[in-house]
Amino acid sequence: MINLDNFSFEDDFKHEILPPDHPLVRGQPINQPIFEQDLQWRLKIQPFTSGGFEAKAVLVNRNHLNRLINASRERGLRSKPKERDPADIQRDREKAAYRAARRVRHFALEIRADRLLTLTTRHILTDYDDVTVTWKRFMRVLEAANAKFDYIAVPELHNSGEHYHIHAAINGFVRADLLRRCWQIALGGKGNEQGINALGNVDIKQQRRHAKDPAKQCLGIARYISKYITKSYLEHHQFNRKRYWVPRSVKLPESTGEWMRAETIAEAVQELHVRFDPALMIEATKDNSLYITDRDTAMMFFRYLPTENNPLPTPF
């Protein structure tokens, strides 16, 4: 957290002042930069189907952003990159891990995950492609048993480095004994293996700490599952391998971006209060989901997930 009163940019960084009657300052979302300077505040909002959203305001270089948007990208599998500096490779992996963790968190919040499922094996799944095939088989067996559910799943290499297990944030109750039978079948068994004959095991649990608050429970699971995707990218990177799985039926609502009118971080905070309603900002502060920093890049982040006791409407 930072002290807004002490926050300032370099002396040579000044915004032009727009006249009050300027067409771009009439209370509507701004779809293009309004100042001449490169550094400007941009707000991105990720809504969720069941209500609520995540919002992030970042001081960005608009010309650099335009270059990224307009850059031509090849479709399909990427070619293996040429030899590069190890520091650049590590930096790119950290960025990829951050993007993947954010995506996984968003999917978990979208499905309102309320349980965490862990699938383990007895040193069976040693190849990543076999893990992918086994997970798909597990989903087909569950569907045949009328026990299909929404999920966001992340494979993790065991600490020994010899085999994989799988973590999945899911929504809805499924009997543990049914999950175990289906998992045994997916691993190549008959479904009735037990004890030392079992090919693997299933563990399913809820976040008991916030059991009375579904929103906090879901957020805890979302953070938990996104931790594994970060570890997967940074410690066990594999080129051209997707590091998480989500059913095609689960779609995130389209995110939106807009340029802000703020010149300073203090003005950006005030603008967010107007944009989202002070009541939502107060809830974000109470929930400790409002984060403001000037480290590396000036940024503000906050989240709102409605609950039965606090069903504030989303202002968009």
Side-chain angles (χ1 to χ4, degrees):
M1 299 292 289
I2 66 172
N3 187 335
L4 296 181
D5 296 331
N6 296 332
F7 189 92
S8 61
F9 296 111
E10 294 80 1
D11 293 337
D12 59 348
F13 176 69
K14 298 292 184 182
H15 275 313
E16 292 183 358
I17 304 299
L18 294 177
D21 59 347
H22 194 283
L24 295 178
V25 288
R26 294 177 181 170
Q28 298 296 323
I30 304 174
N31 296 320
Q32 63 187 68
I34 62 175
F35 301 111
E36 293 297 329
Q37 287 77 8
D38 288 346
L39 294 176
Q40 298 191 37
W41 284 95
R42 183 164 176 82
L43 174 66
K44 186 172 183 179
I45 304 170
Q46 176 60 65
F48 302 112
T49 303
S50 299
F53 59 90
E54 283 190 356
K56 182 172 71 172
V58 183
L59 189 65
V60 301
N61 186 314
R62 65 167 186 167
N63 290 327
H64 177 65
L65 181 63
N66 287 335
R67 286 195 295 270
L68 291 177
I69 293 174
N70 296 324
S72 59
R73 295 179 175 84
E74 296 181 0
R75 295 185 178 273
L77 291 178
R78 297 171 297 164
S79 58
K80 195 168 185 178
K82 299 178 181 179
E83 292 296 327
R84 300 170 58 207
D85 185 85
D88 291 338
I89 295 175
Q90 180 64 19
R91 185 186 65 250
D92 287 347
R93 286 183 182 177
E94 290 175 353
K95 289 181 179 179
Y98 171 79
R99 290 192 299 268
R102 178 185 61 198
R103 191 78 171 170
V104 166
R105 184 181 72 249
H106 286 170
F107 275 121
L109 294 175
E110 171 64 18
I111 67 174
R112 288 297 191 265
D114 56 5
R115 286 168 175 79
L116 185 68
L117 174 65
T118 302
L119 305 171
T120 59
T121 71
R122 290 185 180 273
H123 302 274
I124 294 178
L125 300 179
T126 58
D127 181 77
Y128 187 84
D129 291 335
D130 289 341
V131 180
T132 304
V133 172
T134 303
W135 173 261
K136 292 180 179 178
R137 187 185 304 126
F138 179 56
M139 287 293 102
R140 290 196 299 269
V141 174
L142 282 172
E143 186 174 5
N146 294 319
K148 192 177 180 180
F149 47 74
D150 287 333
Y151 63 85
I152 172 70
V154 177
E156 182 194 17
L157 191 62
H158 192 269
N159 292 334
S160 65
E162 297 176 356
H163 63 285
Y164 288 87
H165 50 266
I166 301 171
H167 303 280
I170 70 173
N171 176 274
F173 171 78
V174 184
R175 295 196 335 266
D177 61 333
L178 176 60
L179 287 171
R180 289 190 180 94
R181 287 201 300 272
C182 292
W183 182 233
Q184 298 292 332
I185 294 172
L187 290 172
K190 296 181 179 180
N192 57 358
E193 292 83 359
Q194 296 181 0
I196 62 174
N197 295 320
L199 302 177
N201 193 28
V202 170
D203 179 68
I204 185 167
K205 60 184 177 181
Q206 292 178 289
Q207 291 281 15
R208 297 293 183 185
R209 183 179 177 183
H210 301 301
K212 294 183 179 180
D213 190 334
K216 290 184 178 180
Q217 181 185 25
C218 174
L219 181 58
I221 292 174
R223 287 171 173 168
Y224 196 84
I225 196 73
S226 63
K227 176 185 69 174
Y228 288 111
I229 194 72
T230 303
K231 181 179 179 181
S232 176
Y233 265 87
L234 296 182
E235 298 182 8
H236 309 294
H237 177 75
Q238 294 189 42
F239 188 71
N240 272 335
R241 289 292 190 275
K242 190 169 184 179
R243 308 306 297 179
Y244 63 89
W245 309 310
V246 63
R248 294 181 179 179
S249 58
V250 176
K251 304 289 186 183
L252 283 173
E254 184 177 359
S255 61
T256 60
E258 57 194 65
W259 296 95
M260 300 176 67
R261 306 169 185 82
E263 298 183 59
T264 66
I265 195 169
E267 291 177 351
V269 172
Q270 295 174 348
E271 186 171 334
L272 290 179
H273 274 75
V274 175
R275 176 71 171 82
F276 291 102
D277 191 303
L280 289 180
M281 299 297 292
I282 291 173
E283 287 301 320
T285 303
K286 290 180 180 178
D287 223 18
N288 295 322
S289 72
L290 177 62
Y291 179 75
I292 305 174
T293 180
D294 63 343
R295 187 182 64 180
D296 299 329
T297 301
M299 183 268 288
M300 288 172 288
F301 170 89
F302 73 99
R303 175 192 304 108
Y304 172 69
L305 298 175
T307 64
E308 293 181 0
N309 298 327
N310 189 24
L312 294 173
T314 303
F316 47 80

